[in-house]
Amino acid sequence: RQFSGWNDRDPNGIRFAVVPDGLLRPFEDILRVILAEEVEDPTCGALFYYNPKLASPKWDFEKLEKTATIGNHVFFKYK
């Protein structure tokens, strides 16, 4: 449930249902830089993360490799 705004029954989901024209335009350059991999990825390629103080995911950790800890979040990618 990492991306709670997209989860069923999350009250924040309604905010993401419609994005007004131009609202995301300021982020287009940032997205281009990220997609071009012109910035360092502090998660080292992680696809998953969680906060162990708040969650206990039922993931198959044998298939995952810890890549980083940032604040209270731990990041993982497939081995």
Side-chain angles (χ1 to χ4, degrees), residues 58-77:
K58 294 176 175 42
W59 299 339
D60 184 354
F61 284 96
E62 293 293 319
K63 295 180 180 179
L64 299 175
E65 170 185 341
K66 180 180 172 183
T67 61
T69 301
I70 302 173
N72 293 324
H73 293 84
V74 184
F75 294 80
F76 298 85
K77 66 180 179 182

Side-chain angles (χ1 to χ4, degrees), residues 5-78:
W6 301 106
N7 294 332
D8 294 340
R9 298 187 198 105
D10 187 298
N12 293 311
I14 212 143
R15 295 184 205 171
F16 299 118
V18 177
V19 178
D21 287 341
L23 181 67
L24 300 178
R25 197 160 292 122
F27 302 99
E28 290 175 356
D29 288 337
I30 296 168
L31 181 59
R32 271 194 271 303
V33 168
I34 291 169
L35 291 176
E37 298 180 358
E38 295 174 6
V39 294
E40 185 177 336
D41 175 6
T43 71
C44 302
L47 298 174
F48 312 98
Y49 72 94
Y50 77 103
N51 181 336
K53 294 181 180 181
L54 300 176
S56 299
K58 294 176 175 42
W59 299 339
D60 184 354
F61 284 96
E62 293 293 319
K63 295 180 180 179
L64 299 175
E65 170 185 341
K66 180 180 172 183
T67 61
T69 301
I70 302 173
N72 293 324
H73 293 84
V74 184
F75 294 80
F76 298 85
K77 66 180 179 182
Y78 287 117

